[in-house]
Amino acid sequence: METTEHGSMDLNRRDDFLSSLDKGDDEEKFRSSGEGKRGEERKRSAKISESDEIPDEIDEWKKRLKPALGLDASFDVQVREMTFGERRTAILFFSVFAKDSALTEILKRLTYLQPDNLSHDALEAFFEEYVPAIQIKRSSSFKEMIDEVLMGNTALYVDGVPAVLLIDAKTYPARMPDQPTLEKVVRGSRDGFVETLLMNVALIRRRLRDPKVRFEMMKVGERTQTDVTIGYIEDIADPKLVESVRDKIKAIQVDGIPLADKQLEELTVHKGMSQWSPFPLVRYTERPDVVAAQLLDGSITVIVDTSPSAILLPTTYFDLVQHAEENRQNPFMGTYLRWVRFLGIAASMFLMPIWFLYAQNPELRPPWLWFVGAQKTGQLPMIVQFLIAEIGVDLLRLAAVHTPAPLVTAMTLLSAILIGDIAVKTGLFVNEVILYMSVSAIGMFATPSYELGLANRIVRLVLLLAAWFFQVPGIVIGSTFIVLFLALERSFNAPYLWPFIPFNGKALLSIILRKPMPTNKSRPSINRPQIDDKQPNRS
């Protein structure tokens, strides 16, 4: 009795659903529109090559899927065959991407269909009336179908129709936004980019509710088909810069970019001898608030799927030494923190070479620097001690990266205290070498850009060797060469040392001082913004 009641309830529910699908007087209109759609489908098919057409028989369709997608060979390639309204159908999807709840709901709705509901163009009926999905489109291209399924979408095929419906019912493995490890702030948002492109765009959109914000999607890699997005504000960003970035990405011919944004950078930004430049020509950030602020200044962002960071273009050397923490404090403290950071960066490059020069040539030392120098020389030459210390710091950094998190602190303390202390006591090193190497390492870690910190280490090594070989002329010539090298570098046609070279006093003052928000009215001219004023008068 209970089963009968439930059965009658299900039948009544189905009858109610089917009656809601009955068009009555609109049937003739649907028939004419279906014929029009079939005409459009034939036109679209005429533009598709014969080898790219979707077969109109389901068995032939499944046969082509075996070499094209690995059906029956790869466990995650699934084809679910069902019959709706006496029409044989199949859905193609990857089990690792499929959103079970969405697809189950679609199939549940379709089970109520009767033959009369699909007496005309069945696929068009599915498209316009019966598939409850937000994002759906029709395609007659076999290649497009494969590409969309590889993205995680689902293809709905109806036997006898040389086309499919592509349904966005996917879900990607993703972690929740967390505070970036390289760009921590005391106060401010704790959300950072993740490996899912859609989530990253959403984090930016949340901060920029501007209808002029644009995110253009492209694919890079013949095999990886990696999604790459260019973000900018249409009425602020330089159109020529946007076009340049777009053209460079479209011109990439490569199998794939599985390492995401770093490989994309090498394929677009670094050309010629700049491929061997240690200095980063783009700025990486894991903070959506930094990206939003830079977009308002006229910059362009490039976001690559599977990467938890975004690229900002164009980039200068002075962009890489700024941090979000400075803007989270009041102008006075922000300026103070900025100068402390500048001092640390300068120390990471020049402290060791200058100390080495004075230690080797005491007669060059000014009287007020009486404390600079080495009381002992050690068993190893001073230059060898510095080189070993440099390699030791690099080994310590690499060991910290590859050591399990619970053991990092213990390993660091053991390496710093025991190895350093024993090296000094045995006479291999002098105390001053360990001291100045530690200060230089702290300055390197205080550099906001990890890539720039590594490049500054190369500068330190070059100046150290120059001081050893040529003493004072070596440091002067080495420093001049490095400045000239940086002055000739360009990031998407933007001078790398701007606003120092070419000189722009107003912009340089904005870098030296963290200006209060009311006085910071102009966008950086290096971005060539269409609208220069950041605080326009509104009526």
Side-chain angles (χ1 to χ4, degrees):
M1 181 66 180
E2 185 177 352
T3 306
T4 305
E5 289 177 356
H6 281 288
S8 60
M9 289 175 62
D10 289 339
L11 289 174
N12 291 335
R13 188 186 306 166
R14 189 186 70 176
D15 292 339
D16 292 341
F17 177 78
L18 293 177
S19 63
S20 67
L21 300 178
D22 193 6
K23 294 299 179 181
D25 296 337
D26 294 338
E27 183 176 353
E28 188 64 31
K29 184 185 299 183
F30 171 76
R31 182 182 295 110
S32 61
S33 65
E35 292 175 354
K37 293 293 184 181
R38 285 194 294 272
E40 294 178 4
E41 184 65 44
R42 285 192 294 269
K43 292 179 180 178
R44 287 195 296 265
S45 300
K47 299 179 181 179
I48 299 174
S49 63
E50 185 175 349
S51 60
D52 193 31
E53 292 180 356
I54 295 178
D56 56 2
E57 294 183 2
I58 193 169
D59 294 330
E60 179 64 23
W61 180 70
K62 291 172 58 179
K63 183 179 179 181
R64 287 190 61 182
L65 289 177
K66 293 183 178 181
L69 209 56
L71 181 63
D72 298 335
S74 296
F75 78 94
D76 56 340
V77 182
Q78 299 287 330
V79 171
R80 175 74 164 94
E81 295 187 55
M82 296 187 72
T83 300
F84 304 121
E86 298 183 356
R87 296 298 297 267
R88 190 180 176 189
T89 63
I91 56 174
L92 169 67
F93 60 94
F94 275 87
S95 59
V96 294
F97 291 144
K99 196 171 186 177
D100 296 344
S101 57
L103 290 178
T104 301
E105 181 64 23
I106 291 174
L107 296 180
K108 186 189 300 184
R109 298 286 187 93
L110 297 181
T111 55
Y112 292 117
L113 295 178
Q114 295 295 320
D116 292 343
N117 303 123
L118 304 176
S119 58
H120 313 299
D121 189 337
L123 193 68
E124 197 64 33
F126 280 128
F127 178 67
E128 292 191 346
E129 300 179 49
Y130 303 139
V131 176
I134 297 177
Q135 298 186 33
I136 182 173
K137 67 178 180 179
R138 181 168 179 163
S139 176
S140 302
S141 169
F142 191 84
K143 182 180 183 305
E144 183 181 13
M145 178 191 71
I146 295 297
D147 291 342
E148 292 287 332
V149 172
L150 287 171
M151 288 176 56
N153 294 332
T154 298
L156 174 62
Y157 178 84
V158 179
D159 190 24
V161 182
V164 293
L165 294 183
L166 300 172
I167 306 170
D168 187 356
K170 61 179 179 287
T171 180
Y172 289 144
R175 61 183 174 90
M176 294 303 295
D178 198 4
Q179 181 171 216
T181 56
L182 296 178
E183 298 176 270
K184 294 181 180 180
V185 293
V186 178
R187 297 189 182 276
S189 61
R190 297 294 193 271
D191 56 348
F193 289 135
V194 297
E195 288 76 13
T196 306
L197 185 144
L198 295 179
M199 178 74 76
N200 296 340
V201 173
L203 291 173
I204 300 173
R205 284 280 189 185
R206 184 182 179 187
R207 291 166 170 82
L208 278 179
R209 299 177 182 177
D210 187 345
K212 295 295 185 179
V213 174
R214 301 289 182 263
F215 288 99
E216 299 182 9
M217 178 77 76
M218 290 177 285
K219 293 185 182 298
V220 175
E222 294 295 328
R223 295 184 181 273
T224 61
Q225 291 288 300
T226 305
D227 291 328
V228 177
T229 294
I230 302 175
Y232 58 95
I233 301 180
E234 188 177 34
D235 59 343
I236 295 179
D238 180 15
K240 293 183 179 179
L241 178 60
V242 175
E243 183 180 1
S244 176
V245 175
R246 185 190 300 121
D247 292 343
K248 286 180 180 294
I249 294 177
K250 287 183 177 180
I252 295 176
Q253 298 292 333
V254 69
D255 276 352
I257 50 172
L259 299 183
D261 45 12
K262 186 57 185 176
Q263 291 182 323
L264 183 72
E265 174 200 347
E266 294 183 7
L267 290 168
T268 55
V269 181
H270 293 279
K271 299 294 182 182
M273 290 304 296
S274 66
Q275 294 178 348
W276 294 97
S277 172
F279 293 94
L281 297 183
V282 299
R283 179 182 178 183
Y284 289 98
T285 181
E286 299 179 13
R287 300 188 61 89
D289 52 355
V290 171
V291 173
Q294 291 298 114
L295 291 180
L296 287 173
D297 280 342
S299 296
I300 295 174
T301 184
V302 178
I303 307 173
V304 184
D305 194 25
T306 72
S307 174
S309 58
I311 295 175
L312 292 171
L313 297 168
T315 300
T316 68
Y317 186 93
F318 297 100
D319 287 334
L320 300 171
V321 298
Q322 299 185 43
H323 193 272
E325 178 66 20
E326 300 158 3
N327 296 302
R328 293 290 182 177
Q329 304 296 331
N330 61 58
F332 181 86
M333 293 308 303
T335 301
Y336 168 74
L337 293 176
R338 184 172 292 185
W339 271 95
V340 169
R341 182 172 291 110
F342 289 166
L343 184 63
I345 295 173
S348 69
M349 292 186 290
F350 298 105
L351 182 61
M352 282 178 51
I354 292 176
W355 181 88
F356 176 78
L357 179 66
Y358 287 154
Q360 295 294 102
N361 303 275
E363 68 279 2
L364 299 176
R365 183 178 59 198
W368 58 276
L369 291 178
W370 56 268
F371 56 88
V372 175
Q375 297 178 355
K376 300 179 181 179
T377 58
Q379 298 180 8
L380 296 176
M382 199 73 69
I383 186 65
V384 176
Q385 295 182 35
F386 275 121
L387 294 178
I388 293 177
E390 287 280 2
I391 296 174
V393 170
D394 275 334
L395 285 176
L396 185 63
R397 179 178 58 84
L398 293 176
V401 171
H402 302 304
T403 302
L407 303 178
V408 170
T409 303
M411 185 275 299
T412 305
L413 290 175
L414 287 174
S415 301
I417 296 175
L418 294 182
I419 297 177
D421 186 59
I422 292 174
V424 172
K425 287 183 177 180
T426 56
L428 294 177
F429 287 81
V430 296
N431 290 319
E432 289 83 358
V433 171
I434 302 298
L435 172 64
Y436 290 109
M437 184 67 236
S438 301
V439 174
S440 298
I442 292 174
M444 184 191 73
F445 293 134
T447 306
S449 171
Y450 178 72
E451 293 79 11
L452 182 62
L454 295 178
N456 288 342
R457 166 168 290 185
I458 302 300
V459 172
R460 180 170 68 243
L461 286 174
V462 170
L463 294 180
L464 191 62
L465 293 174
W468 180 47
F469 279 112
F470 306 106
Q471 299 183 2
V472 175
I475 288 186
V476 174
I477 295 174
S479 301
T480 304
F481 172 79
I482 291 170
V483 171
L484 290 176
F485 178 81
L486 294 177
L488 295 176
E489 284 277 36
R490 304 185 77 83
S491 172
F492 276 87
N493 206 32
Y496 197 57
L497 283 186
W498 184 91
F500 179 60
I501 300 176
F503 185 77
N504 186 318
K506 185 178 179 181
L508 187 61
L509 185 62
S510 298
I511 292 174
I512 295 175
L513 304 176
R514 207 287 265 173
K515 288 185 175 181
M517 189 68 179
T519 62
N520 190 12
K521 298 182 178 181
S522 299
R523 294 184 171 90
S525 60
I526 191 68
N527 295 332
R528 299 182 179 89
Q530 300 181 61
I531 302 176
D532 182 65
D533 192 0
K534 295 174 66 174
Q535 300 179 21
N537 295 324
R538 297 185 180 274
S539 56

